[in-house]
Amino acid sequence: MTTTPPLPRGRTRLHVVQLYSGGSTATGVHVRSLAAGLAARGLRVTVCAPRAAERRYRFAETGARFAALPSPAHRDAVARLRQTCGDADLVHAHGLCAGAVAALAVARTDTPLVVTWHTRPGGRGAAVRVRRLTERWVARAASVVLGATSDLVERARLRGARDARLAPVALPSPRTPVPPGSTRYGTGQATLTPSSLRAALRAGDRPLLLAVGRLAPHQGHDTLLTAARSWRGLDPCPLLLIAGEGRDRAALQERIDRERLPVRLLGSRPDVLRLLGEVDLALVAARWAGRSLIAQEALRGGVPLVATAVGGLPELVGDAAVLVPYGDAAAVAGAVAALLADPARRAELAAAGQARAATWPTEDSTVAQVLSIYDEFTHPPR
């Protein structure tokens, strides 16, 4: 992150508590980036998070104080947070669970509560009803709800938020230091350099496709496997690489073996950015996605992207990617085949992607926007 200006002289040094209870890598990276930027601007920042999150993101190295917090479901979570927030000027919770704990902790106080919604909760049956009620309660308890995408802002308004605003989360700059033992996508050290990837996969001159995400139903991997059937007829046949782990791994591998699909499950990878540098296309087939990290990294790196037209993806990529309906394997297969057969179109998308990425908010502009919101609630106009 670039150096940001300190607070003006005479401005009270605010104490802001950032609450991260776990969740996506994108959320954890954002909290770290925000903590660093706010501390650089002169705020006193405390990050409350599980110890595992501190080991991964090293919040204490940003200039913020780290305070360990148990899981939101732990009976002591609210009391521990209330104690930490005793002298806080504002609490900023990231995610629905963190928002619920924070709302309880600041209840019956005048401490402003900012809640950022980064993703849309999933689930089925009774779980959906419980989450809807929780969303409604958190939305109404918050001084303001910030949505990472426009559909999340609208969702907060529908749940009764008194104030809901769009606050896109910045993709960290390639120059931003990554915490030791951590990357934007996972932990550990890279095992392959770009030059050795094709040799390790024995891919030869085959086109390489990359999808990244937890091996779970909502990521749309089954759709990609169905699309892969038709790629067997292409010459050369592209090879789909899927980076990620999850409960569906065994089922996906069984299908790949049974149908002899040109797909490799790579498992959890710390070197996704290196992989992106070697592939021909990136794919996002999710049921819902906000400011997808892999989509952003693909566009910024000039890798053509095929993605589902869901959630925040259309507003994120604009015309710089090929968008297809969720669950439509034929559309995915057709888009991939068309791009592989058209180098000029791939080059056009690569250039458009990098131009689009240049318009996204930076870490500095994100910090500035958040700080201006804090000012509204901690330094109201006279």
Side-chain angles (χ1 to χ4, degrees):
M1 177 178 291
T2 57
T3 302
T4 51
L7 290 173
R9 286 185 178 181
R11 176 64 63 85
T12 304
R13 189 166 184 245
L14 295 178
H15 178 205
V16 176
V17 173
Q18 301 285 326
L19 176 59
Y20 172 65
S21 60
S24 72
T25 299
T27 304
V29 169
H30 172 64
V31 173
R32 187 183 199 279
S33 172
L34 196 58
L38 294 172
R41 287 176 181 261
L43 276 70
R44 186 159 61 96
V45 181
T46 299
V47 177
C48 292
R51 291 190 185 280
E54 168 62 11
R55 288 192 295 271
R56 183 173 188 182
Y57 299 106
R58 306 294 177 91
F59 298 117
E61 294 180 2
T62 66
R65 181 176 75 91
F66 172 73
L69 192 72
S71 161
H74 194 282
R75 63 182 182 180
D76 295 332
V78 173
R80 294 268 293 275
L81 181 61
R82 185 178 291 128
Q83 186 177 34
T84 302
C85 296
D87 66 339
D89 296 294
L90 181 143
V91 176
H92 188 167
H94 297 266
L96 185 60
C97 291
V101 174
L104 288 170
V106 303
R108 297 187 296 278
T109 75
D110 59 359
T111 305
L113 173 62
V114 177
V115 180
T116 295
W117 286 4
H118 294 265
T119 62
R120 187 182 70 176
R124 296 180 180 179
V128 172
R129 292 190 291 274
V130 170
R131 284 171 180 164
R132 186 180 296 120
L133 290 172
T134 304
E135 283 182 319
R136 184 176 296 119
W137 177 62
V138 171
R140 295 177 179 182
S143 305
V144 58
V145 177
L146 306 180
T149 62
S150 295
D151 65 321
L152 290 175
V153 174
E154 181 60 26
R155 188 180 183 92
R157 288 173 179 155
L158 290 174
R159 296 292 186 259
R162 44 185 152 166
D163 189 350
R165 311 181 197 180
L166 180 65
V169 174
L171 177 67
S173 163
R175 297 180 298 277
T176 299
V178 177
S182 177
T183 73
R184 295 183 182 91
Y185 293 95
T187 58
Q189 300 298 321
T191 56
L192 288 176
T193 61
S195 60
S196 67
L197 175 63
R198 286 182 176 274
L201 295 172
R202 298 180 182 177
D205 62 351
R206 298 171 65 180
L208 297 180
L209 319 175
L210 178 66
V212 179
R214 191 156 55 92
L215 303 185
H218 68 277
Q219 292 289 356
H221 296 313
D222 265 325
T223 299
L224 294 180
L225 264 57
T226 300
R229 291 176 185 163
S230 64
W231 299 334
R232 292 178 299 193
L234 300 179
D235 185 21
C237 174
L239 177 62
L240 171 62
L241 312 176
I242 300 178
E245 276 294 354
R247 65 186 187 188
D248 285 358
R249 182 184 179 100
L252 292 172
Q253 188 62 62
E254 190 277 333
R255 184 180 173 193
I256 292 168
D257 295 339
R258 183 179 71 251
E259 300 181 24
R260 298 183 180 180
L261 299 175
V263 181
R264 299 276 183 88
L265 301 182
L266 302 181
S268 181
R269 298 292 297 233
D271 55 347
V272 169
L273 297 185
R274 288 184 172 90
L275 297 179
L276 266 175
E278 275 292 282
V279 302
D280 299 278
L281 300 176
L283 309 178
V284 176
R287 182 186 303 137
W288 186 91
R291 297 183 68 82
S292 163
L293 278 179
I294 185 63
Q296 292 186 75
E297 294 286 15
L299 265 61
R300 187 163 72 180
V303 180
L305 173 70
V306 176
T308 44
V310 298
L313 285 174
E315 68 180 323
L316 176 70
V317 304
D319 297 327
V322 177
L323 296 175
V324 296
Y326 167 72
D328 192 334
V332 174
V336 168
L339 286 175
L340 292 180
D342 191 346
R345 176 58 175 155
R346 295 202 305 275
E348 179 183 295
L349 282 176
Q354 292 180 316
R356 181 74 177 185
T359 69
W360 294 335
T362 64
E363 290 182 274
D364 277 348
S365 66
T366 298
V367 172
Q369 180 188 16
V370 169
L371 184 55
S372 71
I373 293 170
Y374 291 174
D375 279 348
E376 291 181 39
F377 296 98
T378 56
H379 296 91
R382 295 179 179 179

